[in-house]
Amino acid sequence: MTTIKRVRLETGYLEENEFIYGSATSLVDIQIKNGNVSNITPASEEPTDTDAFDGKELLLLPAIREMHCHLDKSKLGVPWRPVTPASNLVERFTKEIDELDALDLPLKERARNLIELERSHGVTFFRSHIDVHPKVGQRYLEETIELLHEYKGTFEYELVAFPQHGLLRSNAYNDVLTALQSGATLVGGVDPSSLDGDLERSLHQTFELATQFNAPIDIHVHDRDDHGRNTVRELLRLTKEAKWQNKVAISHAFGLNDFIGEERKEVFKELADTGVHIISSLPLNGVFPPLEELHKAGVHVSLGCDNVYDSWSPLGTGNVIEKLNRYLEVYRMRSQEDLTDALSLITDKPFSLAKGQPWLVEGMEADFILVDSSSAAEFVARQNPVLYSFHRGKLVYQKEA
């Protein structure tokens, strides 16, 4: 049993003349058993036990989830070098292997730098795509798994077997299969229409691997126009055919912009009904799906960092909260309610105070952060630093003074 004493929990909104100006909070103690919240009680006035953690009246919020990163690609920790020019996608991913292999710092240490950077921003869950295809075999995956074993008990993770060069184009089926036997937990893919050149066959093999290993799917789809629309339609059809509802994610999903009129409404409803998850890094070039429209249509939407100083981009801070802040700016979300509700996009936990119900309930996994903020709205708007992170009730990060 673990006790976290004297933390603030939001319980509802503060309102004046029909204007919501803040959040009401209660000071509580939280008991944790076997990694789950077992009891929530009003804060005790008794002195803090030596075995208890003193929350110092900080605000308790759900832990952050990084839903899209590439632990095998980051160059964090090596001397600065801008991105090498490339005229197209194929040239970019072909050059990438030689660039990464030429670095003096091993993959494990570069990945460690990215993990530590993201943990400092409250992340206790990573979903990382790891390249597996004939050009690299399983070596990126093997090194990543070796590193992750060192972090056992400090965060959760999912590894996507990612045929970066195209499942069909690079003949990567057996590599993905081997990866799923060796520790990868999701099936990935990239642009089955334009890159693989055979949408139906590529997605058929993707779902074949997924159903064989009972693995969810997370597929990169950058395609626009007919390529993009047809890919979304075929993914929806196969999701229902394979009974893979709530097990399919589309990363990037730029082509969702290209549905119009009644078809747009129908497709967005179908995405919501089948539980297809849309994941975006909100690139500043403006090419990202209509995320707020999808969110309001009931589609599961999440944000992730994607590239953090790698062969694809010299940018990236490793701060998922910064991505949420960009989301708020793009969609001009300013109210206390909108800012509060938006936290679910980086935590995957519903966070709405409209009914006066706290987000934390007994039985929930004890994954949360402590911040010096008056409310979730202030935290996401001001990007206040994460001071402490807990994973299954265990303190796993503490900001240095």
Side-chain angles (χ1 to χ4, degrees):
M1 180 78 75
T2 300
T3 302
I4 300 176
K5 296 178 68 71
R6 300 185 65 76
V7 294
R8 293 206 168 273
L9 188 62
E10 286 175 271
T11 57
Y13 290 123
L14 298 172
E15 188 173 344
E16 185 177 73
N17 298 325
E18 299 184 348
F19 171 65
I20 295 174
Y21 66 89
S23 294
T25 61
S26 293
L27 200 59
V28 299
D29 295 340
I30 300 171
Q31 284 77 46
I32 298 163
K33 186 175 183 179
N34 299 325
N36 294 327
V37 175
S38 62
N39 204 14
I40 306 169
T41 58
S44 169
E45 295 298 328
E46 298 175 2
T48 301
D49 300 332
T50 55
D51 293 335
F53 179 88
D54 182 6
K56 305 173 185 177
E57 302 190 14
L58 295 169
L59 183 69
L60 188 83
L61 295 173
I64 310 301
R65 294 168 67 88
E66 165 60 282
M67 291 303 296
H68 189 122
C69 68
H70 294 268
L71 293 175
D72 58 336
K73 296 181 183 294
S74 179
K75 296 180 180 179
L76 289 174
V78 304
W80 162 256
R81 187 178 177 87
V83 169
T84 305
S87 58
N88 54 54
L89 176 71
V90 174
E91 184 180 350
R92 171 68 64 212
F93 63 55
T94 301
K95 286 182 175 181
E96 178 184 39
I97 299 172
D98 292 337
E99 289 178 2
L100 294 178
D101 287 348
L103 297 176
D104 291 334
L105 197 63
L107 181 153
K108 285 174 66 175
E109 297 311 309
R110 290 183 279 111
R112 189 194 308 277
N113 290 338
L114 180 55
I115 287 171
E116 291 301 326
L117 178 62
E118 297 222 27
R119 289 180 74 208
S120 73
H121 296 300
V123 171
T124 64
F125 174 90
F126 292 84
R127 176 181 288 186
S128 176
H129 302 259
I130 306 293
D131 283 17
V132 289
H133 48 76
K135 293 288 186 181
V136 299
Q138 304 294 306
R139 60 191 176 98
Y140 290 179
L141 177 65
E142 290 166 356
E143 291 181 60
T144 302
I145 290 175
E146 285 179 15
L147 171 63
L148 290 170
H149 282 164
E150 298 178 24
Y151 284 96
K152 186 176 181 180
T154 60
F155 57 77
E156 296 294 320
Y157 63 87
E158 295 174 340
L159 299 179
V160 185
F162 185 48
Q164 168 79 79
H165 296 197
L167 183 63
L168 301 182
R169 188 181 184 281
S170 66
N171 194 27
Y173 183 94
N174 288 333
D175 290 281
V176 175
L177 186 150
T178 301
L180 292 166
Q181 294 172 329
S182 305
T185 50
L186 284 85
V187 180
V190 57
D191 293 333
S193 183
S194 66
L195 185 61
D196 275 340
D198 189 336
L199 174 62
E200 288 75 16
R201 181 164 165 253
S202 180
L203 288 184
H204 173 79
Q205 290 191 8
T206 300
F207 275 84
E208 182 180 273
L209 287 162
T211 53
Q212 180 180 346
F213 288 90
N214 192 28
I217 293 168
D218 188 343
I219 185 168
H220 289 48
V221 181
H222 313 87
D223 284 336
R224 297 295 305 270
D225 303 318
D226 287 344
H227 283 299
R229 288 193 300 269
N230 292 339
T231 300
V232 171
R233 282 291 197 189
E234 186 66 4
L235 276 167
L236 286 168
R237 187 186 72 80
L238 290 172
T239 297
K240 289 181 284 188
E241 182 180 282
K243 295 180 172 56
W244 231 236
Q245 288 88 344
N246 302 305
K247 290 186 176 183
V248 176
I250 308 175
S251 288
H252 307 303
F254 302 152
L256 290 176
N257 289 294
D258 301 321
F259 291 101
I260 60 174
E262 286 302 314
E263 185 184 28
R264 187 182 184 95
K265 294 178 183 177
E266 291 170 6
V267 168
F268 288 10
K269 184 179 186 303
E270 199 170 353
L271 289 168
D273 291 345
T274 55
V276 172
H277 190 173
I278 304 300
I279 303 172
S280 176
S281 62
L282 273 101
L284 278 176
N285 61 8
V287 182
F288 49 84
L291 297 171
E292 183 61 12
E293 185 180 348
L294 289 162
H295 186 52
K296 288 180 177 177
V299 179
H300 186 185
V301 173
S302 293
L303 306 181
C305 285
D306 198 1
N307 308 105
V308 179
Y309 185 36
D310 55 20
S311 294
W312 299 77
S313 173
L315 309 177
T317 64
N319 187 353
V320 186
I321 303 157
E322 184 181 78
K323 294 290 184 178
L324 179 58
N325 205 264
R326 182 182 299 174
Y327 183 99
L328 300 171
E329 185 172 7
V330 167
Y331 292 107
R332 302 176 65 83
M333 299 171 71
R334 301 169 179 173
S335 72
Q336 184 82 8
E337 294 165 290
D338 284 346
L339 296 173
T340 302
D341 293 349
L343 190 62
S344 66
L345 298 172
I346 60 170
T347 64
D348 270 1
K349 285 187 171 59
F351 200 101
S352 177
L353 303 176
K355 297 181 180 179
Q357 296 294 323
W359 65 269
L360 189 72
V361 295
E362 293 173 2
M364 181 179 287
E365 292 175 343
D367 295 343
F368 31 71
I369 57 177
L370 288 176
V371 298
D372 187 9
S373 304
S374 64
S375 62
E378 180 186 353
F379 169 66
V380 301
R382 303 309 310 147
Q383 301 184 60
N384 294 336
V386 173
L387 302 180
Y388 301 93
S389 296
F390 294 85
H391 175 62
R392 303 298 188 265
K394 174 184 174 183
L395 179 65
V396 293
Y397 169 79
Q398 178 176 343
K399 184 177 176 60
E400 295 181 4

